[in-house]
Amino acid sequence: MTSGTEYERPRPMRADARRNYERLLVQARAAFAEHGTGASLEDVARGAGVGIGTLYRHFPNRYALVSAVFEEAVRDLLARSRALLDAPQPCAALVTWLREIITHAGEYRGLSRALMTASQDESSALSRCSTPMREAGQALLHRAQQAGAVRQDVSISDLLQLTNAIALAAEETPSDPDLADRLLRLTLRGITSSPSGD
C-alpha cells in the first residue's frame, strides 16, 4: 500500500480478463445501489454474463468486491482531502471532508456498516480503502489541531468510526434527510476546542 496521497491500482490484466472485471464492477455498482452491499453475488455474476467462478477469481469475497466498487469514491475523497489541506479554515475543511464521506457511504446501502467492520479488521479487503482514508483524514485533523480548533485527544480512527456510524444512522432513517448533518454537528461540539465546529 502506498501512502494516503496515492491510491494503489490493480495490476494490468489480459484484455478478456479486464472486460470481465469491468462488467462485474458495472453490475455490482447497479446491484449494490438497488439492493445494498448484501446483494446476491450470483446475480451480479449472471448480470455480467460470467460464471460465479469468474467473479471469485477477480474478487475472492464480498468485501473485495465492495472495496473495488468503493475505490473510485476513495480516489475522489483522497483528491478532495489534498485540495482541502490548503483551505483557510482547517476545522471547516475537516468537516467538509467528513460530510463528503457520509455522502459517498450513503450511495450503497450497507457500505457504512462494512466500512465500520473493516476499520477493526486489517485483513479485510476493505482495509485497502480504510488505510489511505485514515492517512488522508489524519492530515486534515492534524492541521485542525495545530490551529487549535480541534482537541488534541481526538483520533482520526474514532472520528471515522463516528462518521460511518452517522452514515449508518442516516441510512436506517431515510425519512429524516437532515439527520446526518445534525449528528455530525453534535459530534463536532464534542471534538472542537471552541463552541462552534464549523
Side-chain angles (χ1 to χ4, degrees):
M1 173 58 62
T2 56
S3 71
T5 59
E6 192 68 32
Y7 194 72
E8 181 180 300
R9 294 174 184 272
R11 292 176 181 166
M13 301 179 195
R14 296 190 329 265
D16 58 337
R18 168 56 63 181
R19 282 193 296 273
N20 287 339
Y21 180 88
E22 295 296 344
R23 282 200 297 263
L24 285 164
L25 276 184
V26 167
Q27 191 62 34
R29 286 188 190 103
F32 291 168
E34 184 175 357
H35 303 292
T37 57
S40 163
L41 297 188
E42 288 80 5
D43 288 348
V44 170
R46 189 178 306 112
V50 301
I52 191 66
T54 298
L55 183 149
Y56 282 120
R57 275 196 297 278
H58 287 289
F59 309 103
N61 55 49
R62 182 178 299 276
Y63 278 162
L65 182 56
V66 173
S67 175
V69 168
F70 192 49
E71 280 180 11
E72 185 175 350
V74 169
R75 285 192 289 270
D76 290 345
L77 288 166
L78 293 179
R80 187 73 172 119
S81 74
R82 292 191 293 272
L84 287 167
L85 282 173
D86 294 325
Q89 296 182 322
C91 189
L94 176 63
V95 173
T96 296
W97 193 67
L98 295 175
R99 281 194 176 111
E100 291 180 10
I101 291 175
I102 291 170
T103 299
H104 279 292
E107 291 178 3
Y108 302 107
R109 192 171 69 255
L111 179 57
S112 51
R113 189 184 302 277
L115 289 170
M116 288 177 72
T117 301
S119 69
Q120 302 299 318
D121 179 10
E122 292 186 0
S123 67
S124 166
L126 266 174
S127 68
R128 290 185 66 237
C129 294
S130 61
T131 299
M133 289 284 284
R134 272 199 308 273
E135 292 172 355
Q138 180 60 47
L140 291 170
L141 173 60
H142 179 70
R143 188 166 175 259
Q145 288 172 326
Q146 290 294 101
V150 175
R151 288 174 17 205
Q152 293 296 319
D153 61 344
V154 175
S155 76
I156 192 59
S157 293
D158 288 348
L159 201 49
L160 289 175
Q161 279 286 77
L162 283 168
T163 301
N164 286 324
I166 289 170
L168 179 58
E171 175 187 305
E172 297 292 329
T173 318
S175 60
D176 187 352
D178 299 322
L179 177 63
D181 202 58
R182 289 201 313 275
L183 292 176
L184 184 56
R185 285 177 178 275
L186 283 172
T187 298
L188 293 170
R189 289 193 188 115
I191 70 166
T192 51
S193 300
S194 59
S196 175
D198 49 6

